[in-house]
């Protein structure tokens, strides 16, 4: 992006979808991005900001003057404004709220009173509803009248006189039916409502599970106050899966456009936890200092037992963490899954015990050493299956995110058990 | 599930959504599931089968007689039948195809000619299209006529006389406009088409990226032949993210309802690869047998260096694998990302070198040992950043799934480099 290229930029960016412009901005390095924002005529659009990575939003919003910001947020749906505000500091939040007109501001402030990650925070209030006694003709006349409609909508939600949603009808059904048909007769089976305080991830999963396009959100009095649409649910589930993947690897929050210092900070805590657990494992090794100095082959082979346990544990824990996240692992099948993982660990443990015993025997010509590494392998892989499922299940019960915390616990268990079993059996049998 | 409980089962299952029935079946153990299928009056519905885990479909289909199977598949959309057939053996495929009527069978057989994972395999052919000159009134009259409509549809796709799609209109726009309005005037900005052979994951990502509800699919002559809808795209992306998570952990395919033997088989290859790399690392350790027997502290501390490198490498590779999957990591920013990861490794390496050097010094009272472990830590964490990004990028270029293969390579590198740097420096400086 060159400094004297204002018009080129405009010509390039104008035909692009806001999501593509955001993607382009994310790919630029710091210097180019600043330049790009500076030369962009008329300031960035709201839709581009709402498509941007969280960590770039603050920077971009800071680059706008008050009028440009007002312009940008005014076009957004209420849920996009709420999503935007969640990541801003107080001063910027104030600026965005002031840029909205009164009724929009009231809606956004209302949404901010609901808990984070609740349906209320993520719903859009723009929706189409009608009384349950409407016919197709009533609906069409209403839609053709001067009423302000949402940008996108796919259902008419039927409400009773107390505003309680009682069903919904797809626009396809309305369009293909006679004007006199009562909407009641065209209702969809998949209809269900969600409370405003419900976890939005649960709502998104229900949308996926039941193939819903629109999920009506109700308040504690069962009155219709918003909808969560499938495109938002899809984006949300994608983000959640992404977060789970990164958390499992100990990466935490963070995106590709973060700088070195931010990234270092994000990675640091997990590495620190790992250092602590690695030192703990070393303390276990140190308990067997004498055994180790008696036979150097032990030092050479011992990482293998720990490494196999760590890998088997990671396999089990990943399956358990995802099954918990998708509600496939429930109280009904928890014991079956734990038992299966322990059995899988045992079976694989026995196979690799034979393999590794043979390797150890041919390498060092010591049959007892082969028994030691074989036995340690079986023990550690069975324990890996138990810890790999048990730890995430217990963490979930305690209300701790299993994706975030399981890895450290499980590797500690497999390292400690691996070294202890291997060196302990060596101390007993070999020396 | 009790044997004499036919009617209870019917009463329980009847009001449930097919997705819930499938979920229920998945949660049962082998014995209960067989019993459940046996007592289910009238045989399982097609929609339930298509919601089931892949590994249970075969079992369930085997439990149906010919007539029940025919009944089950006849209600399904063409894309669901294709999805179902992909997992069946030849005999079952034959049975399903025979159960369809002629026109449906032709559609399914056509879809099966497209490559696996292509848009053509996952599209539904049921769609609503109209000539580009239609008005709102024309569209409504067409939809109200006797024509057979898809279960769910949200757009009318406009085609030119050669059947090339030229735009689409949401049903909301049609319903809220006057009968005389030409559809051309109501077209959506987000319109774009996808080739039938394009990777369905790309199509699903585009649907998410551009907030599309319907993605029109065209053949090589640009003629409209199907659509991929957002609910299918959402389910598909969820499955892909799931697969990536499981692959990263070396779990491969497999689901919670797999049995012990299947699960053991699925986990085995990754553990075998890990055993090979662990033995390789042990060979590196064995090169320094003399150094090790000279100072037992080395055996105690050496797993720490390898473990920290393994973790840092996993962090970098997870970020890289996901960024490749979501197309955030491109040729435009690859060097910036690699450089960032190496720098992050260096900075964290220096911090943990100081910490671990201090721990090593106070533990063993040997200053040179502290320098050795510190230097090895810096080297291994920087290498972890390089390998963690480099390996997945190279695998992707070679056409190998980086989620599946990166882990083994990266841990090999960090194990080998970790042990080599630590023991090598010890051999040079300490003895």
């Amino acid at each position: 992006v060159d400094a004297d290229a204002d018009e080129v930029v405009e010509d390039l960016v104008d035909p692009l979808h806001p999501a593509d412009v955001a993607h382009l901005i994310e790919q630029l390095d710091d210097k180019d991005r600043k330049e790009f924002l500076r030369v962009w005529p008329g300031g960035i659009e709201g839709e581009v900001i709402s498509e941007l990575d969280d960590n770039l939003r603050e920077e971009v919003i800071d680059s706008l003057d008050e009028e440009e910001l007002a312009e940008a947020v005014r076009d957004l749906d209420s849920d996009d404004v709420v999503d935007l505000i969640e990541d801003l500091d107080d001063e910027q939040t104030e600026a965005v709220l002031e840029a909205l007109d009164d009724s929009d501001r009231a809606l956004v402030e209302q949404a901010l009173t609901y808990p984070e990650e609740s349906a209320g925070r993520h719903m859009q209030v723009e929706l189409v509803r009608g009384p349950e006694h409407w016919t197709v003709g009533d609906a069409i006349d209403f839609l053709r009248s001067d009423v302000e409609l949402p940008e996108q909508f796919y259902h008419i939600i039927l409400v009773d006189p107390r505003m309680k949603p009682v069903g919904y009808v797809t626009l396809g059904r309305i369009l293909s039916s006679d004007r006199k048909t009562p909407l009641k007769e065209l209702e969809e089976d998949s209809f269900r409502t969600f409370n405003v305080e419900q976890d939005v991830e649960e709502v998104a999963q229900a949308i996926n599970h039941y193939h819903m396009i629109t999920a009506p959100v109700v308040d504690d009095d069962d009155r219709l106050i918003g909808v969560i649409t499938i495109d938002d649910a899809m984006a949300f589930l994608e983000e959640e899966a992404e977060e789970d993947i990164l958390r499992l690897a100990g990466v935490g929050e963070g995106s590709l456009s973060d700088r070195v210092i931010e990234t270092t900070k994000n990675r640091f805590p997990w590495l620190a936890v790992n250092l602590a657990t690695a030192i703990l494992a070393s303390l276990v090794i140190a308990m067997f200092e004498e055994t180790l100095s008696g036979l150097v082959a032990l030092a050479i082979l011992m990482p293998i037992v720990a490494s196999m346990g760590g890998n088997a544990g990671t396999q089990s824990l990943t399956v358990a963490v995802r099954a918990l996240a998708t509600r496939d692992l429930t109280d009904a099948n928890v014991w079956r899954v734990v038992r299966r993982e322990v059995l899988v660990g045992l079976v694989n443990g026995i196979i690799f015990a034979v393999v590794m015993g043979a390797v150890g025997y041919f390498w060092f010509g010591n049959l007892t050493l082969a028994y030691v590494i074989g036995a340690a392998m079986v023990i550690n892989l069975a324990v890996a299956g138990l810890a790999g499922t048990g730890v995430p299940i217990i963490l979930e019960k305690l209300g701790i995110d299993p994706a975030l915390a399981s890895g450290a616990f499980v590797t500690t268990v497999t390292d400690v058990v691996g070294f202890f079993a291997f060196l302990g059996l060596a101390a007993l049998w070999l020396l």
Side-chain angles (χ1 to χ4, degrees), chain A:
Chain A
V1 187
D2 233 56
D4 54 358
D6 307 30
E7 282 182 29
V8 181
V9 169
E10 191 169 9
D11 287 351
L12 269 173
V13 170
D14 240 27
L16 291 180
H17 189 284
D20 288 329
V21 180
H23 193 239
L24 184 72
I25 294 175
E26 286 164 11
Q27 299 240 320
L28 296 174
D29 66 23
D30 280 8
K31 204 171 123 279
D32 287 347
R33 189 165 54 242
K34 287 212 171 60
E35 194 56 33
F36 182 88
L37 294 172
R38 202 183 57 73
V39 301
W40 195 341
I44 195 163
E45 289 145 56
E47 283 183 39
V48 173
I49 302 178
S50 97
E51 298 281 351
L52 271 179
D53 266 358
D54 297 354
N55 64 325
L56 291 182
R57 284 188 189 163
E58 280 195 46
E59 181 182 331
V60 168
I61 288 179
D62 269 338
S63 80
L64 302 176
D65 62 38
E66 233 167 90
E67 204 171 312
E68 287 170 339
L69 181 63
E71 185 78 29
V73 296
R74 219 168 282 143
D75 310 330
L76 292 174
D77 278 343
S78 61
D79 58 330
D80 291 329
V81 178
V82 173
D83 183 42
L84 202 105
I85 281 183
E86 285 187 326
D87 302 312
L88 301 181
D89 58 37
D90 288 350
E91 201 180 316
Q92 288 184 318
T93 304
E94 206 53 48
V96 170
L97 284 176
E98 268 172 35
L100 297 169
D101 57 41
D102 288 352
S103 67
D104 284 345
R105 188 183 319 126
L107 287 174
V108 170
E109 283 172 341
Q110 173 65 36
L112 289 171
T113 65
Y114 301 119
E116 262 187 73
E117 307 289 285
S118 69
R121 278 282 182 106
H122 289 80
M123 69 188 182
Q124 64 178 60
V125 295
E126 295 85 1
L127 55 83
V128 181
R129 57 167 194 247
E132 49 188 329
H133 58 74
W134 266 8
T135 62
V136 166
D138 294 333
I140 293 180
D141 294 341
F142 169 77
L143 293 173
R144 284 200 189 138
S145 70
D146 262 352
V147 67
E148 200 181 319
L149 294 172
E151 187 95 344
Q152 304 264 350
F153 66 104
Y154 305 97
H155 288 94
I156 292 183
I157 302 171
L158 300 179
V159 291
D160 73 9
R162 290 180 45 260
M163 287 293 286
K164 181 183 167 196
V166 293
Y168 58 20
V169 186
T170 66
L171 302 186
R173 282 297 182 84
I174 295 176
L175 269 167
S176 56
S177 303
D178 194 79
R179 282 187 68 95
K180 286 189 234 73
T181 320
L183 293 186
K184 263 276 163 217
E185 286 176 17
L186 306 175
E187 277 180 359
E188 293 289 299
D189 282 345
S190 67
F191 178 76
R192 61 199 71 217
T193 62
F194 300 87
N195 185 276
V196 65
E197 305 227 332
Q198 199 171 343
D199 185 354
V200 63
E201 187 173 357
E202 277 173 38
V203 181
Q205 278 172 341
I207 288 177
N208 189 23
H209 188 70
Y210 297 117
H211 306 278
M212 302 171 78
I213 300 290
T214 312
V217 177
V218 297
D219 64 15
D220 288 336
D221 297 325
D222 271 346
R223 280 179 310 218
L224 179 66
I225 54 172
V227 289
I228 292 181
T229 52
I230 188 173
D231 57 321
D232 290 337
M234 185 183 192
F236 186 84
L237 280 191
E238 270 292 285
E239 275 169 39
E240 286 295 309
E242 196 68 31
E243 263 180 45
D244 259 15
I245 295 178
L246 296 179
R247 280 183 191 158
L248 277 167
V251 181
E253 312 289 298
S255 84
L256 217 57
S257 47
D258 283 342
R259 301 198 188 84
V260 172
I261 297 179
E262 286 154 350
T263 311
T264 307
K265 268 197 218 159
N266 281 333
R267 307 276 173 89
F268 183 85
W270 174 257
L271 290 175
V273 170
N274 183 62
L275 183 66
T277 72
I279 290 175
L280 189 66
S282 291
L283 287 172
V284 173
I285 300 174
M287 287 166 54
F288 299 96
E289 206 175 319
E290 234 172 289
T291 320
L292 268 173
S293 37
L295 190 63
V296 75
L298 295 177
I300 295 172
L301 293 177
M302 100 196 147
I304 295 178
V305 179
S307 158
M308 292 297 281
N311 270 277
T314 304
Q315 291 180 332
S316 295
L317 99 82
T318 306
V319 169
V321 165
R322 283 312 295 172
L324 286 168
T326 56
R327 274 71 170 168
D328 283 331
L329 182 55
T330 60
D331 287 344
N333 60 2
V334 57
W335 289 113
R336 205 160 68 246
V337 171
V338 172
R339 198 188 56 200
R340 187 192 71 170
E341 293 296 319
V342 174
L343 283 176
V344 168
L346 266 179
V347 176
N348 269 328
I350 291 167
I351 299 171
F352 287 108
V354 173
V355 175
M356 199 51 225
V359 171
Y361 177 68
F362 286 112
W363 191 347
F364 296 101
N366 183 331
L367 193 61
T368 317
L369 182 63
Y371 288 141
V372 168
I373 196 164
M377 191 77 89
V378 176
I379 293 170
N380 207 21
L381 262 61
V383 168
L386 183 64
T389 43
V391 168
I393 290 168
I394 292 168
L395 288 175
E396 170 96 354
K397 292 260 178 224
L398 297 176
I400 301 168
D401 179 5
L404 197 59
S406 296
F409 283 106
V410 172
T411 358
T412 308
V413 171
T414 54
D415 274 359
V416 166
V417 170
F419 290 130
F420 191 86
F422 180 63
L423 296 175
L425 290 174
L428 280 179
W429 294 350
L430 273 169
L431 302 175

